[in-house]
Amino acid sequence: TQPDKYRFRIYPNPANGEYVTVESTRNSCVDAKLYDILGNLVLHTFGGHIVQIRTSGLMNGKYFILLSDGSHTICETIIVSR
């Protein structure tokens, strides 16, 4: 089977525009929670196999994104840089 980290695509990363797109490579629904470096929940979104996370209102820096497709959960890093 596919390693968990390859179940999702995150682009662009670093984020330098309005949105970051998260795509499930298995066409599963995506649950995405974005945390700042202090562990505060910044944003939570749920949708189809592709969701967009609005980054235009975020400060530059490092964020952690917890992604779940219902059966697998991973944590990745997103950099916001404008």
Side-chain angles (χ1 to χ4, degrees), residues 1-69:
T1 61
Q2 187 177 42
D4 289 347
K5 75 177 195 171
Y6 297 113
R7 291 182 183 271
F8 301 96
R9 290 182 49 218
I10 303 168
Y11 54 91
N13 192 13
N16 54 12
E18 293 283 320
Y19 295 95
V20 167
T21 300
V22 177
E23 179 180 354
S24 166
T25 60
R26 299 172 80 71
N27 292 330
S28 302
C29 290
V30 175
D31 184 21
K33 295 177 182 175
L34 189 67
Y35 296 89
D36 64 18
I37 60 170
L38 299 176
N40 299 310
L41 181 64
V42 175
L43 183 140
H44 180 204
T45 187
F46 179 82
H49 76 280
I50 297 175
V51 296
Q52 288 191 317
I53 296 172
R54 187 177 194 91
T55 57
S56 60
L58 300 176
M59 293 176 46
N60 287 346
K62 184 177 187 178
Y63 294 84
F64 300 100
I65 185 165
L66 192 65
L67 301 170
S68 177
D69 66 2

